[in-house]
């Protein structure tokens, strides 16, 4: 293998009739590359495109486009003394990946016995929780362990539920190896327990502090329910209202329970000012605080309008959106944009918008639909412009904590624009995010554990650390150029942003996993890998 040239491919493979692009370090414009089969015979040749360099890659990268080649089998890309790893071209290549990234949620269940070979364990976190600052207690069981830790957080769970339900809309009738609705129901039943009698929702349940790298059933410290928050209450209302439709036929009573709880949460929101969450000093687990909850309130109202048909919900949602969009940007903190359509745990506005766009027939004022479509297309165009100038086709201009989840969320926006316009350029831009995660990156890594020729081995994930074996199907957080943990600072000084990743357990800012990073990738695989 040449030290001067490296070739990066989607390590899981390519579908025969899909776009197929590899990335080459050290290549030159018009340099010839070859597709070689498993017998060493060249079956296709092409020329590299001109090198592209951007800030996050920090180096010139060429692309090798072999989309014209539709043969099936196992191949390598070869150039001079350099060669890629072996990759397949065929159908059904992403089925095992899809199952595994979904099964991660089952293996992350809290409060019940889990059966999963190395990951089997007895029920964990079954103690009674204190309600912070009240002297009262509450029995809350279930939910998914959030990330590398064992906390359970409403805002993270709500985003995850939305991604999984949207993925189910794509793959539900095509993929029967995993019951997405059963898994989502497990989280919903936990969330119902997080609601207070007056409709408000507790922000999270965890121990007071993070535990060592031990198995979940061995964390037996006192559980605490953190104070209620507007973000948790609104996210609860939005995701429960949306989820109800998926259970109407199989369990009408459960669907009605979800709607009633969502309305109760909204009634609380209507009569209370913003309650922004910040960890009390005694609690040091993840905070998931949010400086602006207008997007959460908007999401809840959009979802409730669609499920109830009450025009007051839609009217209030549009008022919130208009107010936020009319606020000036604080030039001292430009990242605090008053409004953006996005898919993330901290900004859920695009879920509300997508819900309305999926239910256009329920909206009489078509100017609302036009405005929402234009907003999504505008944001997708912004992302697309970044992708077009990117060395590795990534849609972000800065690699921050959880960049792989962010890449997947950006792909979601592009795919929504593709649905709205029929313009295939958005789909192809989304596919570049898909390929990036699965190996088309400067570290030659498949960022999903257990998959690819070169994959993450040492995630910041307590069960994996405790057992000494990496759980499969987890999306690692990805490069984070801020170097926000001591391991990253030690190993990643002076690295380009896309190389600011270290596969060591201690690097929580680059190598942690999370349900709300896996979930948008589930959606991405459903849209690009399965159809």
């Amino acid at each position: 293998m040449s030290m001067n040239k490296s070739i990066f491919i989607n390590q899981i493979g390519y579908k025969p009739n899909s776009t197929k692009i590899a990335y080459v370090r050290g290549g030159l414009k018009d340099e010839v590359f070859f597709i070689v089969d498993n017998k060493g015979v060249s079956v296709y040749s092409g020329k590299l495109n001109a090198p592209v360099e951007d800030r996050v890659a920090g180096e010139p990268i060429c692309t090798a486009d072999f989309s014209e080649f539709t043969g099936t089998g196992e191949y390598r890309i070869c150039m001079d003394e350099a060669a890629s790893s072996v990759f397949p071209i065929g159908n059904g290549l992403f089925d095992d990946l899809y199952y595994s990234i979904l099964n991660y949620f089952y293996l992350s269940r809290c409060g019940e016995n889990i059966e999963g070979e190395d990951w089997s364990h007895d029920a964990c976190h079954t103690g009674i929780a204190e309600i912070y600052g009240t002297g009262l207690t509450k029995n809350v069981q279930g939910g998914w362990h959030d990330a590398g830790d064992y906390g359970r957080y409403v805002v993270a769970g709500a985003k995850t539920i939305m991604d999984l339900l949207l993925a189910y809309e794509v793959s539900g009738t095509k993929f029967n190896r995993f019951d997405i609705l059963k898994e989502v129901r497990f989280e919903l039943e936990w969330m119902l327990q997080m609601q207070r009698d007056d409709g408000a929702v507790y922000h999270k349940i965890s121990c007071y502090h993070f535990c060592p790298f031990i198995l979940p059933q061995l964390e037996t410290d006192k559980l605490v329910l953190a104070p209620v928050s507007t973000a948790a209450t609104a996210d609860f209302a939005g995701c429960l209202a949306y989820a109800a439709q998926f259970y109407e036929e199989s369990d009408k009573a459960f669907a009605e329970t979800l709607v009633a709880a969502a309305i109760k949460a909204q009634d609380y929101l209507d009569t209370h000012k913003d309650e922004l969450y910040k960890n009390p000093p005694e609690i040091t687990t993840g905070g998931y605080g949010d400086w602006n909850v207008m997007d959460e309130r908007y999401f809840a109202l959009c979802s409730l309008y669609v499920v109830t048909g009450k025009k007051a919900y839609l009217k209030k949602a549009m008022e919130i959106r208009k107010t936020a969009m009319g606020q000036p940007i604080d030039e001292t903190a430009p990242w605090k944009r008053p409004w953006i359509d996005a898919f993330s745990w901290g900004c859920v506005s695009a879920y509300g918008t997508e819900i309305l766009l999926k239910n256009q027939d329920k909206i009489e004022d078509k100017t609302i639909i036009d405005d929402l479509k234009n907003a999504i297309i505008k944001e997708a165009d912004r992302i697309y412009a970044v992708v077009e100038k990117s060395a590795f086709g990534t849609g972000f201009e800065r690699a921050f904590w959880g960049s792989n989840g962010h890449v997947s969320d950006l792909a979601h926006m592009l795919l929504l624009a593709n649905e709205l316009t029929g313009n295939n350029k958005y789909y192809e831009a989304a596919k570049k995010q898909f390929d990036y995660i699965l190996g088309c990156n400067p570290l030659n890594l498949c960022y999903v554990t257990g998959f690819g020729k070169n994959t993450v081995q040492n995630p910041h994930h307590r069960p994996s650390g405790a057992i000494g074996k990496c759980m499969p199907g987890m999306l690692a957080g990805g490069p984070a150029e801020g170097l926000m943990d001591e391991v990253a600072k030690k190993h990643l000084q002076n690295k380009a942003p896309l190389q600011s990743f270290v596969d060591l357990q201690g690097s929580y800012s680059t190598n942690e996993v999370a349900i709300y990073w896996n979930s948008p990738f589930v959606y991405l695989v459903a849209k690009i890998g399965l159809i």
Side-chain angles (χ1 to χ4, degrees):
M1 176 75 71
S2 168
M3 294 300 292
N4 298 320
K5 193 174 278 122
S6 300
I7 304 171
F8 312 107
I9 46 86
N10 182 324
Q11 295 176 26
I12 311 304
Y14 303 84
K15 292 188 287 188
N17 295 315
S18 73
T19 301
K20 307 174 195 70
I21 296 175
Y23 294 81
V24 180
R25 171 186 290 141
L28 300 171
K29 181 183 180 182
D30 291 334
E31 190 173 356
V32 177
F33 67 90
F34 299 91
I35 306 296
V36 177
D37 67 16
N38 57 7
K39 295 180 181 179
V41 176
S42 175
V43 293
Y44 179 86
S45 65
K47 293 182 178 180
L48 298 183
N49 293 320
V52 174
E53 182 172 357
D54 65 0
R55 191 193 71 83
V56 292
E59 60 181 331
I61 299 294
C62 294
T63 56
D65 189 335
F66 55 106
S67 303
E68 291 180 351
F69 180 69
T70 58
T72 59
E74 292 193 337
Y75 304 94
R76 288 179 181 266
I77 298 175
C78 296
M79 298 180 64
D80 300 329
E81 298 176 1
S84 72
S85 59
V86 175
F87 61 89
I89 298 177
N91 293 307
L93 299 176
F94 303 99
D95 289 5
D96 288 345
L97 174 72
Y98 194 58
Y99 170 80
S100 190
I101 59 178
L102 283 167
N103 194 50
Y104 159 71
F105 293 97
Y106 168 74
L107 296 177
S108 300
R109 284 187 178 193
C110 182
E112 71 171 29
N113 296 337
I114 297 299
E115 297 180 2
E117 298 179 356
D118 292 322
W119 316 107
S120 299
H121 65 76
D122 295 334
C124 57
H125 304 97
T126 56
I128 306 299
E130 298 175 345
I131 301 175
Y132 178 82
T134 69
L136 303 174
T137 60
K138 183 175 173 61
N139 186 13
V140 175
Q141 302 294 321
W144 299 312
H145 296 140
D146 174 66
D149 64 289
Y150 297 130
R152 288 156 285 160
Y153 308 82
V154 170
V155 294
K159 183 224 179 331
T160 303
I161 285 171
M162 290 303 300
D163 291 333
L164 294 183
L165 290 176
L166 290 168
Y168 174 78
E169 289 187 309
V170 176
S171 70
T173 59
K174 306 179 185 71
F175 192 86
N176 57 15
R177 289 175 58 187
F178 189 91
D179 191 336
I180 294 178
L181 294 186
K182 180 180 179 181
E183 197 58 45
V184 167
R185 179 167 180 158
F186 183 80
E187 182 80 350
L188 289 167
E189 289 174 342
W190 164 73
M191 289 181 76
L192 286 167
Q193 299 170 63
M194 294 293 285
Q195 186 171 40
R196 210 165 60 181
D197 288 343
D198 62 355
V201 177
Y202 295 108
H203 194 76
K204 64 175 181 175
I205 182 172
S206 70
C207 296
Y208 278 89
H209 309 289
F210 290 125
C211 67
F213 276 69
I214 58 177
L215 292 170
Q217 68 271 27
L218 299 180
E219 185 183 43
T220 56
D221 291 348
K222 192 67 180 177
L223 293 167
V224 58
L225 276 164
V228 302
S229 71
T230 299
T233 305
D235 281 344
F236 172 99
C239 81
L240 264 66
Y242 187 71
Q245 65 181 302
F246 295 89
Y247 300 95
E248 285 178 346
E249 291 187 9
S250 61
D251 191 339
K252 188 173 180 61
F254 181 63
E256 290 174 348
T257 296
L258 295 177
V259 174
I263 291 172
K264 189 175 182 180
Q266 184 59 48
D267 289 344
Y268 180 89
L269 293 169
D270 286 341
T271 54
H272 289 77
K273 294 181 179 179
D274 289 348
E275 296 170 285
L276 303 182
Y277 183 79
K278 183 178 181 181
N279 263 345
E282 297 91 342
I283 302 176
T284 59
T285 53
Y288 293 95
D290 197 336
W291 69 276
N292 180 354
V293 292
M294 299 179 84
D295 55 290
E296 283 84 4
R297 287 181 175 271
Y298 167 80
F299 164 51
L301 290 161
C302 292
S303 193
L304 278 163
Y305 170 68
V306 168
V307 78
T308 68
K310 292 185 178 180
K311 294 181 180 179
Y313 288 139
L314 181 62
K315 181 174 184 293
K316 191 174 294 184
M318 293 303 108
E319 287 172 352
I320 289 174
R321 184 181 180 94
K322 182 178 180 180
T323 298
M325 295 180 73
Q327 292 180 354
I329 295 175
D330 182 354
E331 295 300 333
T332 64
W335 61 90
K336 288 188 173 182
R337 294 171 63 183
W339 188 266
I340 181 174
D341 282 292
F343 299 101
S344 71
W345 71 258
C347 185
V348 294
S349 53
Y351 292 107
T353 297
E354 183 165 6
I355 287 169
L356 293 181
L357 292 174
K358 284 179 176 291
N359 292 274
Q360 297 180 33
D361 58 322
K362 297 182 180 180
I363 299 175
E364 295 175 2
D365 185 351
K366 298 309 176 185
T367 62
I368 292 176
I369 296 300
D370 291 341
D371 289 345
L372 295 180
K373 281 184 179 179
N374 290 336
I376 293 297
I377 294 167
K378 181 180 179 180
E379 179 61 13
D381 283 340
R382 184 194 67 78
I383 299 166
Y384 180 81
V386 176
V387 171
E388 283 291 277
K389 297 178 181 178
S390 168
F392 281 95
T394 50
F396 55 67
E397 296 175 292
R398 180 174 178 82
F400 52 80
W401 196 328
S403 61
N404 284 339
H406 183 47
V407 160
S408 302
D409 286 328
L410 295 175
H412 187 163
M413 184 66 70
L414 291 163
L415 290 167
L416 180 54
N418 171 243
E419 290 181 17
L420 294 173
T421 65
N423 192 329
N424 199 52
K425 74 175 187 179
Y426 299 115
Y427 178 90
E428 294 300 339
K431 187 178 182 300
K432 289 179 180 179
Q433 316 314 299
F434 178 74
D435 290 340
Y436 166 83
I437 287 172
L438 296 179
C440 291
N441 57 69
L443 296 178
N444 189 32
L445 265 178
C446 175
Y447 281 113
V448 181
T449 59
F451 287 84
K453 297 293 192 298
N454 185 33
T455 187
V456 174
Q457 303 280 351
N458 304 290
H460 186 89
H461 177 244
R462 277 166 176 75
S464 296
I467 292 175
K469 181 178 181 180
C470 181
M471 182 185 288
M474 302 186 297
L475 178 64
E481 60 188 271
L483 307 187
M484 290 165 281
D485 62 66
E486 292 306 312
V487 174
K489 291 175 182 176
K490 178 179 178 181
H491 291 275
L492 300 175
Q493 294 292 332
N494 302 315
K495 294 286 188 181
L498 291 189
Q499 296 188 39
S500 296
F501 173 88
V502 57
D503 185 16
L504 292 172
Q505 177 182 286
S507 184
Y508 52 82
S509 68
T510 73
N511 206 19
E512 191 169 10
V513 301
I515 57 172
Y516 53 90
W517 296 337
N518 251 58
S519 61
F521 188 62
V522 167
Y523 178 75
L524 188 51
V525 176
K527 291 286 285 185
I528 290 179
L530 299 186
I531 61 175

